[in-house]
Amino acid sequence: MGQARIAAQGGEAGTCRGSGALSDIDKGALVTVYDAQGLVVATGSVGSGAYNDSAACVFPILVRDVPDNSKSYTVRVGWHARKEITNMGARAGELILTFS
């Protein structure tokens, strides 16, 4: 489906996790997928975080069995703000949730 990113923290390498107000973003954090009517249609979790080349902490979003009958979806990690994505974008893995 995509990934969750925590903004660059400067020159880090290896595994990572959220801290402070983002401390709930870590391996296993709940991911909720809502359809265009706002109904929960699937849940999943984030995988292990790792720093990318820009020193952002990146987590893969893992959600199975999302129905293919909605034009768009909104996705939420933990209790953070939702982000909307089209059905096609979600299926292509284009979802990127950025936290700072």
Side-chain angles (χ1 to χ4, degrees), residues 39-95:
L39 301 173
V40 174
V41 294
T43 59
S45 62
V46 297
S48 296
Y51 288 104
N52 67 8
D53 293 341
S54 301
C57 185
V58 179
F59 302 85
I61 294 177
L62 313 166
V63 180
R64 298 184 190 279
D65 301 324
V66 177
D68 193 22
N69 60 351
S70 185
K71 286 177 63 173
S72 64
Y73 300 93
T74 54
V75 180
R76 171 185 257 174
V77 174
W79 298 107
H80 301 279
R82 297 179 188 185
K83 180 169 182 177
E84 186 171 355
I85 188 167
T86 65
N87 186 326
M88 185 178 291
R91 304 220 177 267
E94 295 173 359
L95 177 68

